[in-house]
Amino acid sequence: MLDNFSLGRHISGQFNAELESIRTHVLAMGGLVEQQLADSLKALHKQDAELAKRVIRDDHKVNSMEVAIDEACTRIIAKRQPTASDLRLVIAIIKTITDLERIGDVAESIAKVALENFTNKQYNLLVSLEALGQHAVRMLHEVLDAFARMDVKAALKVYQDDDRIDREYEAVVRQLMTYMMEDPRSIPNVLKVMWSARSIERVGDRCQNICEYIIYFVKGKDVRHTSPEEIEDILKLS
Amino acid sequence: MLDNFSLGRHISGQFNAELESIRTHVLAMGGLVEQQLADSLKALHKQDAELAKRVIRDDHKVNSMEVAIDEACTRIIAKRQPTASDLRLVIAIIKTITDLERIGDVAESIAKVALENFTNKQYNLLVSLEALGQHAVRMLHEVLDAFARMDVKAALKVYQDDDRIDREYEAVVRQLMTYMMEDPRSIPNVLKVMWSARSIERVGDRCQNICEYIIYFVKGKDVRHTSPEEIEDILKLS
């Protein structure tokens, strides 16, 4: 599907098709990463070793997509010499796929934790990750949706949602700390759950990065290191 | 200083000067990040609150440099339409500064830990971070040096060094876990030290990323997700 933001602007229909193809690949990569993250969490909660192994095995697909899209971006810059918003799109894509690839790594590391042996009691701790994990998957889904439509309003909404993930994460950490203090022998295993919680919290940060790239593409403004209030102002003004 | 890798290739002396200026800015940013990281570790070990506060205050400088260099890169692509190795240099720079900025964030977070109150006994734990931290600072220094000279051999050496940081990190984690098990009340504070250890270990990963960009620029080959042995082969072959 060609969206109106890229349609009809280029004399070269071929250039248009190339840009659109890259964009489609980014969305496919995003879809795969979302699947990997959801599957890794499912593997953790259901203690499904087969699913965990598949996530680990499939991480290389995410990596290959990153490398291929990066190559396509460099090729299109060299060949088509894009300027203005076309160039911003390519730059936004180069940055977005870096974050997507790292979210893929998070899925892989959660899948590795899913392969660990937990006692029944420790297993209960994994439940505390469930809400946090589902929240992160939803946030990723929404930012990919915002990316597909290059919708800055949707991007801003996702951006602001990260606060909630941060609060959920802190609650999980407090709970895990209490557990460690009560049963010090559990510390090594509980730490693994804690690393996973932290990785999931980082997925939220990476989704925020992607929001910034969407705003950069659409508004031509680099909003990194800008407060959420300032970002809102920028979106209102333009 | 103009190095032979960029000298004399461009019809436009102006283009050359622009590329060189960006490269100089990256090195300045790298120097600042290295200083921030070293200072944050010093603040932690000496429990120097003033120094810690300065690191936190100065993080915005790193952020501004990232944004400014990114802008300069986009501008040079739009205006000069670089191809081949010039384009690879610009792409390598765009990626390098992302990693440098994140290392700056690590320095900031370590500085925040330096502001915490530790008991004398817990303070001893910080000593275990010293070797790890100094190792990371040295690795960063060396990768920036390799970047300045675009020296793939030096980059490969840094790349291989990350294994040692990983091993040191694991030793630190084991030590901290033992401490937590012996004194469960210390868990919240020891966890902060552990987060710092993990952040420092990640600095090694980010230095490895920069090594990959150096190899990408010089050899025109994307070596991400490639084993160290394969990378060595690539460097031998070409």
Side-chain angles (χ1 to χ4, degrees):
Chain A
M1 187 192 72
L2 283 168
D3 284 346
N4 54 3
F5 82 84
S6 66
L7 240 186
R9 279 202 327 247
H10 304 114
I11 297 164
S12 160
Q14 182 61 25
F15 180 20
N16 229 343
E18 283 171 14
L19 267 182
E20 192 50 33
S21 155
I22 292 179
R23 215 170 67 89
T24 306
H25 279 89
V26 176
L27 293 175
M29 180 180 174
L32 176 60
V33 169
E34 188 186 329
Q35 188 64 54
Q36 288 277 94
L37 184 64
D39 283 349
S40 71
L41 290 161
K42 197 172 158 195
L44 190 67
H45 296 303
K46 309 261 178 207
Q47 291 280 285
D48 182 340
E50 280 317 304
L51 187 58
K53 283 178 197 160
R54 207 189 64 205
V55 170
I56 294 167
R57 211 166 44 232
D58 283 357
D59 183 55
H60 78 98
K61 291 187 192 169
V62 175
N63 297 343
S64 311
M65 284 170 108
E66 184 198 14
V67 171
I69 294 169
D70 236 335
E71 257 176 43
C73 286
T74 316
R75 217 180 309 121
I76 209 169
I77 293 177
K79 196 167 122 195
R80 302 291 180 182
Q81 308 179 329
T83 57
S85 81
D86 294 331
L87 178 56
R88 288 205 306 276
L89 178 62
V90 178
I91 298 284
I93 286 172
I94 289 175
K95 289 175 184 276
T96 295
I97 57 174
T98 305
D99 285 293
L100 287 177
E101 192 269 331
R102 299 284 154 81
I103 297 174
D105 288 344
V106 169
E108 191 191 10
S109 70
I110 292 172
K112 283 179 182 162
V113 175
L115 291 175
E116 300 279 342
N117 288 316
F118 293 98
T119 64
N120 274 345
K121 206 173 162 209
Q122 288 164 5
Y123 175 71
N124 288 335
L125 291 175
L126 297 177
V127 175
S128 66
L129 285 187
E130 194 145 24
L132 183 68
Q134 281 175 357
H135 199 155
V137 172
R138 205 163 54 241
M139 198 169 161
L140 176 59
H141 182 85
E142 281 166 12
V143 78
L144 290 169
D145 201 48
F147 184 92
R149 296 178 287 116
M150 284 299 168
D151 180 337
V152 282
K153 271 194 188 148
L156 185 68
K157 205 173 144 281
V158 177
Y159 192 93
Q160 290 163 335
D161 198 36
D162 187 53
D163 270 358
R164 278 176 49 214
I165 289 214
D166 290 350
R167 281 199 302 273
E168 280 175 31
Y169 164 71
E170 275 154 30
V172 169
V173 166
R174 271 195 303 274
Q175 192 193 345
L176 294 174
M177 274 204 288
T178 309
Y179 188 85
M180 285 198 280
M181 287 159 109
E182 283 167 3
D183 179 13
R185 281 164 315 157
S186 71
I187 287 175
N189 263 345
V190 178
L191 273 178
K192 282 173 195 142
V193 180
M194 213 180 249
W195 294 144
S196 301
R198 197 175 175 86
S199 309
I200 295 171
E201 184 263 328
R202 286 286 156 87
V203 169
D205 298 339
R206 298 203 170 273
C207 289
Q208 277 198 318
N209 293 344
I210 298 175
C211 294
E212 290 170 349
Y213 310 142
I214 294 171
I215 296 170
Y216 163 74
F217 163 68
V218 178
K219 297 290 178 182
K221 202 143 173 84
D222 190 337
V223 294
R224 289 176 298 183
H225 319 301
T226 309
S227 75
E229 296 74 32
E230 285 173 279
I231 294 179
E232 257 186 281
D233 283 347
I234 289 166
L235 297 187
K236 268 183 219 148
L237 281 173
S238 45
Chain B
M1 186 191 72
L2 283 169
D3 283 346
N4 54 2
F5 82 85
S6 66
L7 239 186
R9 279 202 327 245
H10 303 113
I11 298 164
S12 159
Q14 183 60 26
F15 180 19
N16 228 344
E18 283 171 14
L19 267 182
E20 192 50 33
S21 153
I22 291 179
R23 214 170 66 89
T24 307
H25 279 90
V26 175
L27 292 175
M29 179 181 175
L32 176 61
V33 170
E34 187 185 329
Q35 188 64 52
Q36 289 277 94
L37 185 63
D39 283 349
S40 70
L41 291 162
K42 196 172 158 195
L44 190 67
H45 295 303
K46 309 261 177 207
Q47 291 281 285
D48 183 339
E50 280 318 303
L51 187 58
K53 283 179 196 159
R54 207 189 64 204
V55 169
I56 294 166
R57 212 167 43 234
D58 282 357
D59 183 54
H60 78 98
K61 290 187 192 168
V62 175
N63 297 343
S64 311
M65 285 171 107
E66 184 198 16
V67 171
I69 295 170
D70 236 335
E71 256 177 43
C73 286
T74 315
R75 218 180 308 121
I76 209 169
I77 292 177
K79 197 167 122 194
R80 303 290 179 183
Q81 309 178 330
T83 57
S85 80
D86 293 331
L87 179 55
R88 288 205 307 276
L89 178 62
V90 178
I91 299 284
I93 286 172
I94 288 175
K95 289 173 183 278
T96 295
I97 57 174
T98 304
D99 285 294
L100 287 177
E101 192 269 330
R102 299 285 155 81
I103 297 174
D105 288 343
V106 169
E108 192 191 10
S109 70
I110 292 172
K112 282 178 182 163
V113 175
L115 291 175
E116 300 279 342
N117 288 316
F118 292 98
T119 64
N120 274 345
K121 205 172 163 210
Q122 287 164 6
Y123 175 71
N124 288 335
L125 291 175
L126 296 178
V127 175
S128 66
L129 285 187
E130 194 144 24
L132 184 67
Q134 280 174 359
H135 199 155
V137 172
R138 204 163 56 242
M139 199 169 160
L140 177 59
H141 182 86
E142 280 165 13
V143 78
L144 289 170
D145 201 50
F147 184 92
R149 295 179 287 116
M150 283 299 167
D151 180 338
V152 282
K153 271 194 190 151
L156 184 66
K157 205 171 145 282
V158 178
Y159 192 93
Q160 290 163 336
D161 198 35
D162 186 52
D163 270 358
R164 277 176 49 214
I165 287 214
D166 290 350
R167 280 200 302 274
E168 279 175 30
Y169 164 70
E170 276 154 29
V172 169
V173 166
R174 271 195 302 274
Q175 193 193 345
L176 294 173
M177 274 204 286
T178 308
Y179 188 84
M180 285 198 279
M181 288 159 110
E182 283 167 2
D183 179 12
R185 282 164 312 158
S186 71
I187 288 176
N189 262 346
V190 177
L191 273 178
K192 282 172 196 141
V193 180
M194 215 179 249
W195 295 143
S196 301
R198 197 174 175 87
S199 309
I200 295 171
E201 185 262 328
R202 286 288 155 87
V203 169
D205 297 339
R206 298 203 170 273
C207 289
Q208 277 197 318
N209 293 345
I210 298 175
C211 295
E212 290 170 348
Y213 310 143
I214 293 171
I215 296 170
Y216 163 74
F217 164 68
V218 177
K219 298 289 179 183
K221 199 140 176 84
D222 190 336
V223 294
R224 289 176 299 183
H225 319 301
T226 309
S227 74
E229 296 73 32
E230 286 173 279
I231 294 179
E232 255 186 282
D233 283 345
I234 288 165
L235 297 187
K236 267 183 218 150
L237 279 174
S238 46

